[in-house]
Amino acid sequence: MTLSLRAALVCLVLALSNIAPAAALQNSGGGISKSEAAERARVAVNGRVLKVEQTSKNYRVKVLTTSGRVVSVDVDKRSGKVKTSKDKD
Protein backbone atom coordinates (compact mmCIF):
# COMPACT_ATOMS: atom_id res chain seq x y z
CA MET A 1 0.00 0.00 0.00
CA THR A 2 1.22 3.46 -0.77
CA LEU A 3 1.62 6.01 1.96
CA SER A 4 -1.24 8.24 0.76
CA LEU A 5 -3.62 5.26 0.60
CA ARG A 6 -2.67 4.27 4.15
CA ALA A 7 -3.21 7.83 5.36
CA ALA A 8 -6.64 7.95 3.69
CA LEU A 9 -7.59 4.63 5.25
CA VAL A 10 -6.52 5.79 8.72
CA CYS A 11 -8.52 9.02 8.30
CA LEU A 12 -11.58 7.03 7.22
CA VAL A 13 -11.35 4.72 10.23
CA LEU A 14 -10.95 7.66 12.62
CA ALA A 15 -13.89 9.50 11.07
CA LEU A 16 -16.17 6.49 11.30
CA SER A 17 -15.19 5.78 14.89
CA ASN A 18 -16.52 9.22 15.92
CA ILE A 19 -20.00 8.65 14.50
CA ALA A 20 -21.30 6.21 17.13
CA PRO A 21 -20.38 8.30 20.19
CA ALA A 22 -21.95 11.41 18.63
CA ALA A 23 -25.18 9.54 17.97
CA ALA A 24 -25.21 8.24 21.53
CA LEU A 25 -24.73 11.73 22.97
CA GLN A 26 -27.54 13.15 20.86
CA ASN A 27 -30.21 11.29 22.83
CA SER A 28 -28.30 10.64 26.06
CA GLY A 29 -31.08 12.12 28.21
CA GLY A 30 -33.18 9.06 27.57
CA GLY A 31 -36.01 11.14 26.18
CA ILE A 32 -37.48 11.80 22.77
CA SER A 33 -36.90 14.79 20.51
CA LYS A 34 -39.39 17.46 19.56
CA SER A 35 -39.74 16.03 16.06
CA GLU A 36 -40.32 12.51 17.42
CA ALA A 37 -43.05 13.88 19.69
CA ALA A 38 -44.68 15.63 16.74
CA GLU A 39 -44.67 12.44 14.69
CA ARG A 40 -46.14 10.34 17.51
CA ALA A 41 -48.92 12.89 18.05
CA ARG A 42 -49.63 13.09 14.30
CA VAL A 43 -49.98 9.33 14.03
CA ALA A 44 -52.06 9.06 17.22
CA VAL A 45 -54.80 11.38 16.00
CA ASN A 46 -54.31 11.05 12.23
CA GLY A 47 -53.78 14.68 11.37
CA ARG A 48 -51.37 17.49 10.58
CA VAL A 49 -49.12 19.03 13.23
CA LEU A 50 -49.71 22.74 13.71
CA LYS A 51 -47.49 23.57 16.69
CA VAL A 52 -45.20 21.93 19.24
CA GLU A 53 -44.59 23.54 22.63
CA GLN A 54 -42.24 22.29 25.30
CA THR A 55 -43.03 22.08 29.02
CA SER A 56 -40.86 20.67 31.78
CA LYS A 57 -42.17 17.11 31.42
CA ASN A 58 -44.13 17.04 28.15
CA TYR A 59 -44.35 18.25 24.62
CA ARG A 60 -47.76 19.77 23.88
CA VAL A 61 -48.60 19.18 20.22
CA LYS A 62 -51.53 20.86 18.45
CA VAL A 63 -52.83 18.67 15.63
CA LEU A 64 -55.45 19.46 12.98
CA THR A 65 -57.45 16.27 12.42
CA THR A 66 -58.85 15.16 9.07
CA SER A 67 -62.32 16.11 10.36
CA GLY A 68 -61.15 19.72 10.87
CA ARG A 69 -60.84 19.76 14.65
CA VAL A 70 -57.80 20.95 16.56
CA VAL A 71 -56.66 18.45 19.15
CA SER A 72 -54.09 19.09 21.87
CA VAL A 73 -51.85 16.07 22.49
CA ASP A 74 -49.35 15.72 25.34
CA VAL A 75 -46.32 13.53 24.68
CA ASP A 76 -44.19 12.54 27.66
CA LYS A 77 -40.58 13.64 27.09
CA ARG A 78 -39.03 10.55 28.67
CA SER A 79 -41.32 7.69 27.71
CA GLY A 80 -42.87 9.07 24.53
CA LYS A 81 -46.31 8.10 25.76
CA VAL A 82 -49.11 9.99 24.00
CA LYS A 83 -52.03 11.47 25.97
CA THR A 84 -54.78 13.23 24.06
CA SER A 85 -56.92 15.89 25.69
CA LYS A 86 -60.44 16.99 24.78
CA ASP A 87 -61.15 18.25 21.26
CA LYS A 88 -61.52 21.97 20.67
CA ASP A 89 -64.35 23.22 18.49
Side-chain angles (χ1 to χ4, degrees):
M1 243 197 276
T2 66
L3 183 59
S4 61
L5 186 58
R6 285 184 194 167
L9 186 59
V10 168
C11 288
L12 180 64
V13 169
L14 289 174
L16 291 177
S17 67
N18 287 331
I19 291 173
L25 286 174
Q26 188 175 24
N27 200 12
S28 62
I32 64 169
S33 69
K34 199 173 187 179
S35 61
E36 288 173 316
E39 179 62 15
R40 288 180 188 214
R42 185 190 67 77
V43 170
V45 296
N46 190 22
R48 185 172 60 112
V49 174
L50 300 174
K51 186 176 184 180
V52 181
E53 295 174 332
Q54 202 170 353
T55 65
S56 60
K57 295 183 180 182
N58 297 319
Y59 292 107
R60 169 135 316 148
V61 185
K62 305 269 182 169
V63 181
L64 178 64
T65 65
T66 53
S67 66
R69 291 186 163 192
V70 175
V71 180
S72 183
V73 178
D74 287 333
V75 181
D76 188 273
K77 282 184 177 179
R78 289 194 172 254
S79 68
K81 185 177 177 182
V82 176
K83 297 173 253 173
T84 59
S85 59
K86 293 185 177 184
D87 292 352
K88 292 184 179 180
D89 292 327

